[in-house]
Amino acid sequence: MTNKRFGSVEAGGTKFILAVADENFDIITESRVKTTSPTETLAECVKFFEDNPVDALGIGSFGPIDIIKSSPTYGSILATPKPGWEGVNMLHTFADALHVPIYFTTDVNSSAYGEFIAGNGQGSSSLVYITVGTGIGAGAIQDGQFIGGASHLEMGHLPAFKRADDDYTGFCPFHHDHCYEGLAAGPTIEGRTGKKGETIPRTDPVFDLISYYVGQLCFSTLVSLSPQKIIIGGSVITETELPAVRKYTSQFNNGYVAEPDWDKFIVATGVENNGSATVGNFALAKQVLEESNK
Amino acid sequence: MTNKRFGSVEAGGTKFILAVADENFDIITESRVKTTSPTETLAECVKFFEDNPVDALGIGSFGPIDIIKSSPTYGSILATPKPGWEGVNMLHTFADALHVPIYFTTDVNSSAYGEFIAGNGQGSSSLVYITVGTGIGAGAIQDGQFIGGASHLEMGHLPAFKRADDDYTGFCPFHHDHCYEGLAAGPTIEGRTGKKGETIPRTDPVFDLISYYVGQLCFSTLVSLSPQKIIIGGSVITETELPAVRKYTSQFNNGYVAEPDWDKFIVATGVENNGSATVGNFALAKQVLEESNK
């Protein structure tokens, strides 16, 4: 498979990141499109790939989305608070315009796959990628397959218990202070302190509290999915917080499950320039092209 | 593959259930061996299969166990409070004596597999089997494969939050009142009421509280594994409690994930006579025999 071009669409709530790569997944060209109305945004994205043709496309989208191939709404965005986007079939929009094979999954699955083939998941046969940003999400891979038989995972909404000194009422409109997203996503920092997270020094105790919940989520991941590795992306947890995250994960385990080497078990992303999802999309595009040629 | 005999070992903390089946998984003979010392118990089990030879064996064991084939301790029982059993290699003991292919996994994985091929998981490509008994455990299958890349799952120890009216201090020696096993396993009923669970009418409010936590665990399962079906076994949750479990699962979700048909999503076991693990072991024995003949 030589001289092929692979496309990536990273569909986010504020912007769409588009890229085209050669068969080595080296980026040839890229672009960003602001997320406005679906008609406007998707037309701009389609135009980019008409100007820069690809042989196959990987799409990693914000959710919730329908990723079950046998479903009548496969390829659609499901119940989202983003005005106009609910029910939009992103997969069909690109497929009808570009006539190439497309792999459609969640943004976190794309990142998980990128880390699996080109990042810190290389050499592991299973991993969970967790992002802690505006929301909290996760994608899980075992033996090259995504975990999730009925839909994609929603691990940010796993039940969590609060630290005794935390009286924050929570940020999740569905689960309030009873899930990880409600207790530890980026906006909870401003919710607790009244200040934007990026203006607060990393030594502030709020980051220890966030690390406590992310550690609890890592322990939840350990007992519910038992991966070989957990990779943490997103802007909230940096290398500065990882030691505290590992410490809390170990404390929650409390010697129950055989202790892994925490420094190797919980790691940061390995793909540079925040590019896990993009390289994951290229690889998934290549996979779907190979399958379509069988 | 005709006229083959498949063996099942259901290794439990109080007894080992042994069975031999024909190629249709119809049981030819069975036996029970009390769990005492490993030497004594395993010798009796081996003798049963010497008297009733099989072509392959499936073992579903209490845990924690090492089920990773590449591990030097594959086939062993890991850190267990049961005196004498830690470090015992159950797989090697049977393999050295019987010289047949053996599939070695957890008791809950065996049950999950039995429900997958012969119980209420038939027709689903993914499921999670949860048992609520002396402890709480789960086995998960997606597309015929067990989930768990580094070890088996330990979903009974997932973090849980307490109901506001519950002041019980918890039963889990590792996680106290912070995990489902500590809050909802069978012994928590006596821990809360001072009376054995089997002497308390199912209308007692304690069963509503247990259903609350099992519903929370089902919601945790929905967002962390996204299976097509959850099957609940064990003695604590019966058909009487299932409606409350479904109600609480839906309440925890609170409209976030698209609502499945709860009556079809959360169900009791379908294999009769508590035989999920046994038929699962037969099927896993057949699978390992077929692989060994390739």
Side-chain angles (χ1 to χ4, degrees), chain A residues 8-83:
Chain A
S8 166
V9 176
E10 218 184 316
T14 57
K15 62 180 181 293
F16 278 47
I17 303 173
L18 313 173
V20 174
D22 63 19
E23 65 273 15
N24 301 317
F25 303 159
D26 287 328
I27 292 176
I28 297 167
T29 181
E30 54 189 329
S31 184
R32 281 158 193 245
V33 172
K34 206 173 158 226
T35 308
T36 57
S37 74
T39 315
E40 193 177 42
T41 305
L42 295 180
E44 263 199 79
C45 293
V46 163
K47 183 164 187 318
F48 172 82
F49 288 109
E50 284 170 346
D51 295 344
N52 302 280
V54 294
D55 295 282
L57 190 62
I59 303 175
S61 177
F62 67 90
I65 56 176
D66 187 343
I67 58 169
I68 301 302
K69 287 185 186 171
S70 59
S71 162
T73 55
Y74 172 56
S76 294
I77 296 181
L78 302 175
T80 172
K82 282 202 79 65

Side-chain angles (χ1 to χ4, degrees), chain B residues 149-218:
Chain B
S151 182
H152 52 82
L153 309 186
E154 288 285 1
M155 294 193 65
H157 297 274
L158 265 172
F161 62 84
K162 289 176 80 169
R163 199 162 83 174
D165 64 349
D166 184 16
D167 59 4
Y168 181 55
T169 54
F171 150 78
C172 174
F174 297 92
H175 313 119
H176 314 287
D177 59 349
H178 284 321
C179 74
Y180 296 107
E181 184 160 306
L183 289 166
T188 68
I189 298 173
E190 189 176 353
R192 287 190 173 91
T193 64
K195 289 177 273 188
K196 296 272 181 204
E198 54 272 28
T199 68
I200 300 173
R202 290 277 167 170
T203 49
D204 190 283
V206 74
F207 283 103
D208 184 69
L209 187 59
I210 299 291
S211 300
Y212 172 91
Y213 291 117
V214 176
Q216 192 180 132
L217 173 55
C218 288

Side-chain angles (χ1 to χ4, degrees), chain A residues 54-58 91 95 98-103 285 288-290 292-293:
Chain A
V54 294
D55 295 282
L57 190 62
L91 173 64
L98 304 177
H99 307 288
V100 296
I102 298 176
Y103 195 102
V288 78
L289 180 62
E290 285 169 351
S292 75
N293 289 337

Side-chain angles (χ1 to χ4, degrees), chain A residues 74-94:
Chain A
Y74 172 56
S76 294
I77 296 181
L78 302 175
T80 172
K82 282 202 79 65
W85 284 87
E86 182 172 340
V88 169
N89 198 306
M90 209 185 290
L91 173 64
H92 286 184
T93 305
F94 283 101

Side-chain angles (χ1 to χ4, degrees), chain B residues 65-128:
Chain B
I65 58 177
D66 186 343
I67 59 169
I68 301 301
K69 287 183 186 171
S70 59
S71 163
T73 55
Y74 172 56
S76 294
I77 296 181
L78 302 175
T80 174
K82 281 204 78 65
W85 284 87
E86 183 172 338
V88 170
N89 197 307
M90 209 185 289
L91 173 64
H92 286 184
T93 305
F94 283 101
D96 292 349
L98 304 176
H99 307 288
V100 296
I102 297 177
Y103 196 101
F104 182 68
T105 192
T106 60
D107 44 9
V108 283
N109 273 356
S110 295
S111 294
Y113 208 75
E115 288 294 318
F116 181 63
I117 61 144
N120 281 335
Q122 291 176 87
S124 300
S125 66
S126 58
L127 66 83
V128 177

Side-chain angles (χ1 to χ4, degrees), chain A residues 64 78 125-126 142 145-155 157-162 173-176 178 180-181 216 219-228 252-258, chain B residues 64 78 125-126 142 145-155 157-162 173-176 178 180-181 216 219-228 252-258:
Chain A
L78 302 175
S125 65
S126 58
Q142 183 174 318
Q145 304 299 313
F146 292 120
I147 291 177
S151 182
H152 52 82
L153 308 186
E154 286 285 1
M155 294 192 65
H157 298 273
L158 264 172
F161 62 85
K162 289 176 80 169
F174 297 92
H175 312 120
H176 314 288
H178 285 320
Y180 296 106
E181 184 160 307
Q216 192 181 132
F219 174 64
S220 287
T221 302
L222 177 62
V223 290
S224 63
L225 291 160
S226 192
Q228 291 179 354
F252 287 117
N253 181 46
N254 197 23
Y256 181 69
V257 172
Chain B
L78 302 175
S125 66
S126 58
Q142 183 174 319
Q145 304 298 313
F146 292 120
I147 292 176
S151 182
H152 52 82
L153 309 186
E154 288 285 1
M155 294 193 65
H157 297 274
L158 265 172
F161 62 84
K162 289 176 80 169
F174 297 92
H175 313 119
H176 314 287
H178 284 321
Y180 296 107
E181 184 160 306
Q216 192 180 132
F219 175 63
S220 288
T221 302
L222 177 63
V223 291
S224 63
L225 290 159
S226 192
Q228 292 180 351
F252 287 117
N253 182 46
N254 197 24
Y256 182 68
V257 172

